[in-house]
Amino acid sequence: MHTVDRFIEKHHLITDGKTVIIGVSGGPDSMALLSYFMSKRSQWNLTLIASHVNHMLRGKDAKEDFEFVQAFCHKNNILFEGAEIDVNAYKKKKQLSTQIAARECRYRFFEEVMNRYQADYLALAHHGDDQIETMLMRQVRGAFGYGLAGIPVKREFACGSIIRPFLCLSKEEIEQFLAKVGMKARKDASNDSSDYVRNRFRHNLLPFLKEENPKVHLRFQYQSELLHEDEKYLEQTATHYLKNIIDERNNEKIVIRLHPFFTMPFALQRRAIHLILNCLYNSVHESISSIHIEQIIHLLESKKPSGMLHLPAGLHVLRSYHHATFSFAKKLDPQPFSYSVNVPFELELPGGVLKGRMTNEKPHFSKDRFALVADVKALALPLTVRSRKEGDRMHLIGMEGTRKIKNILIDEKVERSKRDLVPIVEDANGNIVWLAGLKKAGIGLISEQTTEFLHLSYEIHEGTANCTGRTFHNMENDILEVLISEEKIQEKTEELASILEKEYDGRFPLVIGVLKGALPFMVDLTRNMNIKLEMDFMDVTSYGNSTQSSGEVKILKDLNTSVEGRDVLIVEDIIDSGLTLQYLVELFRYRKANSIKIVTLLDKPSGRKSKVKPDLIGFVVPDAFVVGYGLDYAERYRNLPYIGILKEDVYKL
C-alpha cells in the first residue's frame, strides 16, 4: 500500500491525531480501506469509526452484510455505527431513482455520524476504476464543469472532509491486497446486474480500456485532478463577475442584468449560470446537464425581448428585456385594482405606494418622473387610481391625438409580468392624467396662473422593475447593521483633524489619499485642518472584487507630486491586511520622503498580515465586511453616509 501512502501525502489527506469515519459496506473495497486504516491507526494516532447503512433493498443479504461489518468491528475494537433505512419508501416520497435515493440516505447518515463524533474525515473506498466509470458516464450524460472531473479526492462535508485514498488504485490491486492480508469480504450480487448504467460501463468499456493501457485508471485520475484545478479557477473568476450582475437574490429567485452578463467571456457565462443553478437547487440537480446550460444561454441571447424556459424541479428562467429571472416562485397574475380617492391620500398598491396632496406652493421636483404636479382646477375630481384596461389611451405632452397604453408600456420596455402593476391615474371625466413613473398627460398642466397644485408621488416596491427594465434596489436592505453612524464619523474626523493640524502646523505636508475608498474621509479630514497643505492621490488595490485582500498590490494610478523631502501623511479608509500600506511606506521611503505618518478611519487588526502600524486610528472594527463612507463591495455602497456591516448573502454566492 505504498501507492496509497504517497497519494495521501501528495494530496494532504490526513494529519495525525484525527477522527476518521470509514464508510464500510462489507464489500471488498470498503473492507480493504478499513484494513488499511487499521494498519495506520497507531502510527497516525487515529480514532476509527466504521459506518454502515442497510438500505433494505436486498433482504436477507443486506441484513447479513450489516451483521458481518458489526461483528468485524467488535472483534477488532473499532467503533461501529449502523443504520437500517427504508430506501424504497424514501424513493417513492422524493420520486427519485433507486441509486440516487440510496445515496442520499447513505450520505445523510454519514453526516449524522460525522457531527455526532465531530469527526475530521469521512473516508470512502472509491477507487481508480470507479473514477473511469464516473467520468465516462458523466461525459455521455452531458455533465458540465466539476461534473466532468469525476470524483474529487477531497471535499468539504459536514464538520470535516470526505477523502478517497484509493483513487490511485485499480480494483485488481485492491483484490490483490485483500488476498495478501487474508481478509474476507461480502459480495453484492447487484454489482453483476446489467440493469444499472454503471455496471454496463464496467463490464463493456473497462476491459477494452485496460487492454489498451493496464494503468489507464492513473491517466483518468490525472485528468480528473487537472480538470478540478482548472474548474476551481474558472468558477472563482465567474463568481467575481457574477456578484456584479446580480440585481436581486433570495432562496427562491435570482435576477441578473443581461448587458454585463454578455460582457463576460463565454466560458464564464456558462459557469455563472451553473453557479446560479447550484445556488437555487442547493446543489446541482441530478437532471441538469450541459444541454440545459446551452438552452438557457440560447434564451438569453434570443433577439426576442422575452421568453421562458422550464427546468427540472419547478425552476423556470424568464427573459424580459434587460433582465433574466431564475425562480421557483409560481407565477401569479396581478389582480386588477381600482380606487376612487379624495386628496390627500396614501394608497398601497401591488407595485408600490402612491401618495397625493394639495399645496399652494409649486413643488421643486415637478420634472421627477415618479412625481406629478398638476393644476387642480384643470382636473375633474375625484381621481381614480386603477390598473390598465383593454383599449386604454392617453394624450401625451406635446403630441396630437392619443397613444395606446399598451404601446407605451412596450416602448418603455416594461416587463410583461409587471405591466398590470403600473398605476393609471385618471380624473372624473375619464381622462388619463398619469401613467405613474412613465408618462405624463398633456392635461392639467400648470402655468403661471396656477394657484393650487396637485402633487402625486409614486414609490416603487423593492424589486419592482421600472420602464427601463432596471430593478430598484435600496442599498440599506443589504446592510446587516449600522456599525458607525454618520454623526460619530464626523465627530471622530474633527478630532483627528485637530491633532494633525497641531502636528503639521507650518510644515506644508503632502496629504496622500488612497483611492477610491479614502476620498470621503480625506475630504472631511482636510476640510477641518486649518493649515496650508498639498493633496495628491494614488489608486492602489489588493482586493479587486473580492472580500479579502489578495496579497498582490497593484498601482493603478501613481502620484503627480514628488515625495522627496516632504512630510507625507497617508490617508486610508481602512487597514485590513496592511499589505497595501506596507508597500506604500516602503515606496515613499525609497523615494526619500522626509517623514511618513498614517491616519486611517478604520482599523481591522484581525486581518493584519504586515507589521505596519497607523499613527492615528478613528475606529477599530470587527472581522466583518464593512461598507459605506467610501468603502465598497464591487464598487457599490461607497455613497452610504455611515459604516455598515454587509449581509453575507450579498457577497457569498
Side-chain angles (χ1 to χ4, degrees):
M1 285 288 177
H2 295 305
T3 302
V4 179
D5 293 343
R6 291 193 297 270
F7 190 75
I8 288 174
E9 183 179 0
K10 174 186 176 183
H11 294 285
H12 310 290
L13 295 187
I14 299 172
T15 54
D16 292 354
K18 301 299 183 181
T19 298
V20 184
I21 310 294
I22 305 167
V24 185
S25 67
D29 307 334
S30 62
M31 292 305 293
L33 185 65
L34 182 57
S35 176
Y36 174 80
F37 275 104
M38 287 168 56
S39 71
K40 300 293 183 181
R41 178 163 46 177
S42 297
Q43 179 185 345
W44 293 344
N45 188 28
L46 301 175
T47 299
L48 302 182
I49 298 126
S51 182
H52 176 88
V53 176
N54 174 5
H55 301 96
M56 301 175 68
L57 295 172
R58 297 184 296 111
K60 181 182 177 183
D61 287 344
K63 186 173 180 61
E64 290 176 353
D65 290 347
F66 187 102
E67 294 170 349
F68 171 79
V69 177
Q70 187 178 37
F72 181 90
C73 291
H74 180 74
K75 179 180 178 181
N76 291 277
N77 194 29
I78 297 171
L79 289 170
F80 174 79
E81 289 285 347
E84 293 185 341
I85 302 175
D86 189 346
V87 169
N88 272 326
Y90 183 82
K91 167 187 173 181
K92 292 176 182 177
K93 180 180 178 181
K94 298 290 185 176
Q95 297 184 329
L96 302 170
S97 68
T98 300
Q99 286 187 315
I100 295 296
R103 184 184 187 280
E104 288 189 5
C105 291
R106 184 167 61 252
Y107 276 81
R108 186 174 59 188
F109 178 65
F110 287 158
E111 183 175 3
E112 291 173 3
V113 177
M114 286 279 286
N115 291 330
R116 188 179 308 147
Y117 288 92
Q118 283 299 289
D120 303 283
Y121 306 109
L122 169 63
L124 301 178
H126 297 100
H127 50 73
D129 289 9
D130 292 327
Q131 184 72 285
I132 297 173
E133 296 161 9
T134 300
M135 292 178 72
L136 290 175
M137 288 166 58
R138 291 181 180 177
Q139 180 73 45
V140 170
R141 187 176 69 85
F144 175 78
Y146 279 116
L148 291 174
I151 306 170
V153 176
K154 184 177 183 179
R155 70 174 176 89
E156 292 182 1
F157 180 75
C159 55
S161 303
I162 290 176
I163 58 173
R164 297 181 172 91
F166 277 10
L167 284 175
C168 58
L169 299 178
S170 66
K171 177 74 170 178
E172 183 180 358
E173 288 171 321
I174 292 173
E175 291 174 342
Q176 290 172 357
F177 169 75
L178 284 177
K180 182 179 179 180
V181 299
M183 177 175 280
K184 295 181 179 179
R186 298 282 295 171
K187 181 175 175 60
D188 184 350
S190 66
N191 288 333
D192 297 325
S193 171
S194 294
D195 292 339
Y196 299 108
V197 175
R198 181 176 290 277
N199 291 349
R200 295 197 290 273
F201 275 82
R202 180 177 302 157
H203 299 150
N204 298 322
L205 288 180
L206 243 61
F208 167 74
L209 294 173
K210 287 181 175 292
E211 185 177 341
E212 293 295 320
N213 180 2
K215 297 290 185 180
V216 67
H217 65 283
L218 296 180
R219 304 315 308 156
F220 270 76
Q221 181 57 35
Y222 177 69
Q223 288 297 322
S224 172
E225 293 173 19
L226 289 182
L227 287 169
H228 269 105
E229 288 301 314
D230 290 352
E231 190 60 35
K232 181 179 179 181
Y233 171 76
L234 289 168
E235 188 175 277
Q236 288 174 345
T237 306
T239 299
H240 290 321
Y241 274 92
L242 192 56
K243 289 170 182 174
N244 293 323
I245 68 174
I246 290 179
D247 258 357
E248 185 180 347
R249 177 188 172 193
N250 56 47
N251 291 335
E252 291 195 339
K253 181 170 74 172
I254 291 178
V255 181
I256 65 170
R257 289 175 287 124
L258 293 181
H259 178 71
F261 174 81
F262 287 123
T263 65
M264 298 167 60
F266 189 67
L268 298 183
Q269 291 178 22
R270 293 196 301 267
R271 283 161 179 84
I273 290 172
H274 198 257
L275 284 167
I276 291 171
L277 298 180
N278 192 43
C279 182
L280 291 172
Y281 282 124
N282 290 321
S283 61
V284 179
H285 193 273
E286 61 170 320
S287 300
I288 291 293
S289 70
S290 58
I291 295 174
H292 296 100
I293 304 290
E294 297 305 321
Q295 287 176 339
I296 293 170
I297 289 178
H298 179 72
L299 171 67
L300 303 188
E301 288 181 334
S302 173
K303 293 181 179 179
K304 295 181 179 179
S306 61
M308 180 178 285
L309 179 66
H310 296 276
L311 298 175
L315 183 67
H316 61 261
V317 185
L318 174 66
R319 157 78 188 278
S320 184
Y321 293 105
H322 306 298
H323 287 78
T325 301
F326 298 73
S327 175
F328 283 111
K330 294 180 179 179
K331 182 181 178 183
L332 297 176
D333 292 329
Q335 296 299 308
F337 58 88
S338 180
Y339 304 95
S340 178
V341 294
N342 293 310
V343 184
F345 67 88
E346 181 172 327
L347 200 57
E348 181 76 31
L349 299 172
V353 178
L354 186 69
K355 300 177 183 179
R357 63 185 175 88
M358 290 187 187
T359 176
N360 293 324
E361 296 182 3
K362 178 181 176 182
H364 296 295
F365 35 87
S366 61
K367 293 184 178 179
D368 182 354
R369 64 177 173 173
F370 289 100
L372 173 75
V373 178
D375 188 334
V376 173
K377 295 179 180 178
L379 301 175
L381 301 179
L383 299 176
T384 297
V385 179
R386 62 172 176 83
S387 54
R388 64 175 179 149
K389 298 176 183 177
E390 185 68 31
D392 271 341
R393 305 181 73 93
M394 73 181 292
H395 174 252
L396 299 176
I397 296 176
M399 177 181 174
E400 294 184 6
T402 59
R403 283 204 73 199
K404 287 184 177 180
I405 295 294
K406 176 182 178 181
N407 292 340
I408 294 173
L409 294 172
I410 292 173
D411 290 347
E412 296 291 343
K413 295 183 171 56
V414 176
E415 296 180 13
R416 186 187 298 272
S417 62
K418 306 284 176 64
R419 292 173 189 170
D420 290 329
L421 298 178
V422 179
I424 289 175
V425 180
E426 67 179 9
D427 70 3
N429 292 330
N431 298 313
I432 294 178
V433 178
W434 189 31
L435 186 59
L438 296 172
K439 293 291 183 181
K440 300 172 183 178
I443 61 171
L445 300 180
I446 62 174
S447 66
E448 294 295 329
Q449 287 72 44
T450 302
T451 57
E452 194 172 7
F453 299 89
L454 169 68
H455 173 222
L456 303 178
S457 64
Y458 184 50
E459 183 179 345
I460 292 179
H461 284 324
E462 175 75 15
T464 301
N466 75 353
C467 60
T468 63
R470 175 187 167 202
T471 298
F472 282 86
H473 188 77
N474 189 340
M475 290 189 296
E476 295 187 354
N477 290 335
D478 294 340
I479 304 302
L480 181 66
E481 66 173 288
V482 175
L483 195 62
I484 307 168
S485 69
E486 182 179 3
E487 292 77 15
K488 287 184 178 180
I489 291 173
Q490 295 307 318
E491 287 176 8
K492 181 60 69 172
T493 302
E494 290 175 10
E495 177 188 327
L496 296 173
S498 177
I499 296 171
L500 291 168
E501 182 179 316
K502 294 175 183 177
E503 172 76 20
Y504 287 106
D505 188 23
R507 295 169 58 187
F508 192 53
L510 175 59
V511 182
I512 298 175
V514 181
L515 296 173
K516 303 174 187 172
L519 186 58
F521 177 48
M522 181 176 173
V523 169
D524 288 343
L525 183 72
T526 55
R527 188 173 55 189
N528 285 287
M529 293 169 62
N530 188 23
I531 59 172
K532 293 180 179 179
L533 55 80
E534 185 176 5
M535 291 190 289
D536 205 341
F537 300 92
M538 288 190 76
D539 195 354
V540 186
T541 183
S542 62
Y543 276 82
N545 286 335
S546 181
T547 62
Q548 292 183 340
S549 175
S550 64
E552 179 186 354
V553 180
K554 297 179 181 178
I555 294 180
L556 305 179
K557 176 197 175 299
D558 207 341
L559 297 173
N560 296 323
T561 310
S562 171
V563 302
E564 185 173 352
R566 300 296 299 273
D567 294 313
V568 171
L569 175 63
I570 302 174
V571 181
E572 259 286 25
D573 52 348
I574 185 170
I575 303 177
D576 190 347
S577 69
L579 296 171
T580 301
L581 270 181
Q582 179 177 298
Y583 174 83
L584 290 179
V585 169
E586 292 173 356
L587 178 65
F588 295 158
R589 282 175 182 164
Y590 175 77
R591 294 180 178 180
K592 301 179 181 179
N594 181 55
S595 67
I596 303 171
K597 287 188 178 295
I598 301 166
V599 57
T600 182
L601 177 64
L602 306 178
D603 187 25
K604 190 190 289 185
S606 60
R608 194 77 83 248
K609 295 180 182 178
S610 72
K611 296 181 180 180
V612 67
K613 292 182 179 180
D615 298 279
L616 289 174
I617 297 170
F619 305 93
V620 175
V621 293
D623 187 16
F625 198 74
V626 293
V627 295
Y629 195 64
L631 283 82
D632 77 303
Y633 167 66
E635 294 300 327
R636 301 177 185 182
Y637 312 104
R638 293 191 193 276
N639 55 322
L640 288 173
Y642 53 78
I643 304 293
I645 297 177
L646 195 61
K647 292 178 180 177
E648 284 194 4
D649 59 7
V650 175
Y651 59 87
K652 285 191 175 181
L653 187 65

